[in-house]
Amino acid sequence: MAGSGQPWFMPLTWPIGHVSTAVTKPEEDKPPPPSSTPYLDLTGNFTAMAAAARSWTLAYLCIYYLPQKFGLVYPAFGPAKEFSPGWMIHIIARNLLATWIICGFWDWFLYFSPIQKKLHKYKMNPVYPSFAQIKHDALVTTSASCAAAGIEIMLCHFWATGRLSLTTTLSDAPFLNLSMALLLTHYRIPHFHLIHRAMHPWKTTKFPDIGKFLYRQVHSLHHKSYNPTAFSGTNMHPVESTLYYSAALIPVAFGLHPVHALGVIVDCAMGAWLGHDGFQWPGSGDYFHMLHHKHFDCNYGAMHVPLDYLFGTYAGSKEEVSQIWKGKAAGEEANDTPVHEASNKAGKVE
């Protein structure tokens, strides 16, 4: 979540707080062994709400600040009645710039910066990915951000034309809007768990294993990056990235202000990017999902809403994966789809 030993509000300080503490942290500091839990404690929930507030605030700025800097109005409030390059390019360009600035900077800082060697001991998988993997994931993540832009463009058009209802003022229901902002990550996680679990083998013989088909044809692209970086977060097949960002439809279904839908898109992006950075500190410390990338058949959701704990698919170690499936082929050994090769040099991306 906030990273090993970090205060709950750290997501609100990213990246300044993380970089400054990394630079000043003593060289002799020893990281604790990475660990996972099936659900968040009280501090973890506050950390999640801080991250959600960050996503919602960025969405608010994208609606009420960024367009005005270019003499525009957010398209949902009128301009999107007609499809035109002006407002659509603005959304696409904004997404692509954010993708490359956020992922590019964070991967550079963790994997290439002058303090890379100092941070190595905090990497949950001590092996480094190859530069070929990072280049591949950067390209695919760029396409995923275009999918997110496509969803936002269609929503703006339907809002502007009245095909979808929306609230245009946030002051009408302040408590509802505040609650939706702080619980943004919590309410979108069941959607993520559902689509993610569906794209892994269902391990059934009672009917055709659709999940196995979807894994091979769609989701295996994401799992090629078994040793992920920030750019790996939305390294997704176009079908998967579209489904992933479709979580934005949750607040749309209730006719809420567009900032909530855009907040979900931002949270999906930043949650995936920072959650895949591979470091317990100054990264997100998401060992729960790192175990999923390593062992495949466990931890399909997130700790915010403990569906894996409820459905019996939570694992805190490799040994627990085999216990989940009771003798069925599972885990790293059962995966026969290709993965990216590791770096040729120890402790360094190459």
Side-chain angles (χ1 to χ4, degrees):
M1 292 303 301
S4 178
Q6 298 301 299
W8 65 269
F9 56 81
M10 279 301 285
L12 293 171
T13 73
W14 188 91
I16 297 172
H18 299 71
V19 172
S20 62
T21 53
V23 170
T24 58
K25 205 172 187 71
E27 291 279 359
E28 61 273 14
D29 180 67
K30 292 184 179 181
S35 61
S36 173
T37 59
Y39 44 81
L40 295 177
D41 59 13
L42 183 61
T43 301
N45 278 289
F46 277 119
T47 303
M49 287 189 279
R54 176 187 63 196
S55 298
W56 193 92
T57 301
L58 289 172
Y60 183 90
L61 293 175
C62 287
I63 290 177
Y64 287 110
Y65 176 77
L66 192 59
Q68 284 81 344
K69 296 296 290 184
F70 294 90
L72 303 173
V73 175
Y74 187 65
F77 301 143
K81 287 181 179 179
E82 301 289 339
F83 289 112
S84 63
W87 66 267
M88 292 191 292
I89 290 174
H90 173 85
I91 290 175
I92 296 169
R94 181 202 68 204
N95 280 17
L96 296 184
L97 282 171
T99 301
W100 280 83
I101 290 171
I102 294 170
C103 296
F105 168 75
W106 202 229
D107 273 353
W108 171 82
F109 180 71
L110 295 175
Y111 291 92
F112 300 98
S113 74
I115 65 169
Q116 176 263 325
K117 289 184 179 180
K118 178 182 179 180
L119 299 177
H120 182 205
K121 60 187 173 184
Y122 301 104
K123 193 174 184 308
M124 289 181 278
N125 180 346
V127 177
Y128 273 69
S130 65
F131 189 57
Q133 174 188 317
I134 293 178
K135 289 191 295 183
H136 169 275
D137 292 356
L139 179 63
V140 180
T141 277
T142 299
S143 73
S145 294
C146 290
I151 290 173
E152 185 182 353
I153 286 169
M154 293 307 300
L155 286 176
C156 283
H157 178 65
F158 290 144
W159 277 320
T161 56
R163 296 179 190 178
L164 287 174
S165 61
L166 78 161
T167 302
T168 57
T169 56
L170 291 167
S171 58
D172 289 345
F175 180 76
L176 172 63
N177 287 315
L178 178 62
S179 300
M180 293 293 288
L182 295 178
L183 298 176
L184 190 163
T185 311
H186 288 79
Y187 74 69
R188 75 168 180 83
I189 288 300
H191 170 274
F192 168 63
H193 185 281
L194 176 64
I195 64 168
H196 189 196
R197 180 65 189 94
M199 289 188 288
H200 273 269
W202 299 356
K203 301 186 184 299
T204 180
T205 56
K206 296 179 180 179
F207 45 83
D209 194 336
I210 300 172
K212 187 174 183 179
F213 171 80
L214 290 173
Y215 182 82
R216 285 183 172 275
Q217 301 300 321
V218 178
H219 190 50
S220 61
L221 174 63
H222 183 69
H223 273 281
K224 285 189 72 176
S225 303
Y226 75 98
N227 188 4
T229 75
F231 266 125
S232 307
T234 51
N235 167 48
M236 298 173 178
H237 186 284
V239 170
E240 181 175 3
S241 59
T242 302
L243 289 172
Y244 179 63
Y245 283 115
S246 71
L249 299 178
I250 297 172
V252 172
F254 297 97
L256 299 179
H257 191 284
V259 70
H260 295 293
L262 186 52
V264 170
I265 291 175
V266 173
D267 199 63
C268 283
M270 293 197 67
W273 298 338
L274 303 184
H276 283 77
D277 60 25
F279 285 73
Q280 61 172 307
W281 181 91
S284 66
D286 192 355
Y287 192 56
F288 180 100
H289 195 67
M290 282 294 293
L291 286 167
H292 174 76
H293 269 265
K294 179 66 175 174
H295 303 300
F296 300 93
D297 296 305
C298 63
N299 301 3
Y300 301 106
M303 297 175 287
H304 308 66
V305 182
L307 297 178
D308 284 291
Y309 177 72
L310 294 174
F311 295 145
T313 53
Y314 168 74
S317 66
K318 178 180 179 179
E319 292 70 30
E320 291 181 13
V321 178
S322 58
Q323 294 173 16
I324 292 171
W325 298 107
K326 299 180 173 67
K328 294 181 181 179
E332 183 180 8
E333 294 77 9
N335 178 64
D336 58 0
T337 55
V339 297
H340 289 292
E341 293 184 1
S343 174
N344 294 323
K345 287 192 175 181
K348 185 178 181 181
V349 173
E350 187 169 295

